[in-house]
Amino acid sequence: MSTFFLAFGFFLLVVIAMSVGYLVQKKSISGSCGGLGAIGIEKACDCPEPCDRKKARMEREEARQKKLQEWQQNKII
C-alpha cells in the first residue's frame, strides 16, 4: 500500500509542478513536431478526389452559403 501512496504522491507533485509552471509562464502547451504541414501534407487524407460523404457535405455547405448570401441581399435593413 505504501508503494501506491508514493506513486500517487509523485504524480501529484508532477501535476502541481506543471500547473505552477503554466501559471508562471502563461504559455499554453504546444506540440513540437508542427503537425502534418511540417511534412508537406495539406490535409489529413491526401486523396486526389474526395469521397462521396465529403462531396455531399461540401454540397450542403455550398447550398447553405448560397442561402446566406441570398438572405444578405434581400435584407431590409
Side-chain angles (χ1 to χ4, degrees), residues 49-64:
E49 186 176 324
C51 65
D52 293 335
R53 285 177 41 201
K54 177 138 180 138
K55 285 181 188 177
R57 195 168 48 239
M58 290 167 51
E59 287 174 6
R60 282 194 310 266
E61 182 61 30
E62 187 177 316
R64 181 179 177 276

Side-chain angles (χ1 to χ4, degrees), residues 61-75:
E61 182 61 30
E62 187 177 316
R64 181 179 177 276
Q65 289 299 326
K66 283 183 184 178
K67 283 185 180 183
L68 285 174
Q69 287 175 355
E70 183 180 317
W71 181 79
Q72 287 291 337
Q73 290 173 352
N74 294 334
K75 219 164 59 169

Side-chain angles (χ1 to χ4, degrees), residues 2-75:
S2 64
T3 305
F4 171 76
F5 287 126
L6 285 174
F8 182 75
F10 174 75
F11 283 112
L12 189 62
L13 284 174
V14 169
V15 169
I16 290 171
M18 288 173 55
S19 63
V20 168
Y22 173 76
L23 291 173
V24 170
Q25 291 185 354
K26 304 268 188 209
K27 196 171 161 183
S28 63
I29 298 172
S30 62
S32 61
C33 68
L36 292 175
I39 57 174
I41 296 177
E42 296 289 325
K43 53 189 177 179
C45 72
D46 212 15
C47 304
E49 186 176 324
C51 65
D52 293 335
R53 285 177 41 201
K54 177 138 180 138
K55 285 181 188 177
R57 195 168 48 239
M58 290 167 51
E59 287 174 6
R60 282 194 310 266
E61 182 61 30
E62 187 177 316
R64 181 179 177 276
Q65 289 299 326
K66 283 183 184 178
K67 283 185 180 183
L68 285 174
Q69 287 175 355
E70 183 180 317
W71 181 79
Q72 287 291 337
Q73 290 173 352
N74 294 334
K75 219 164 59 169

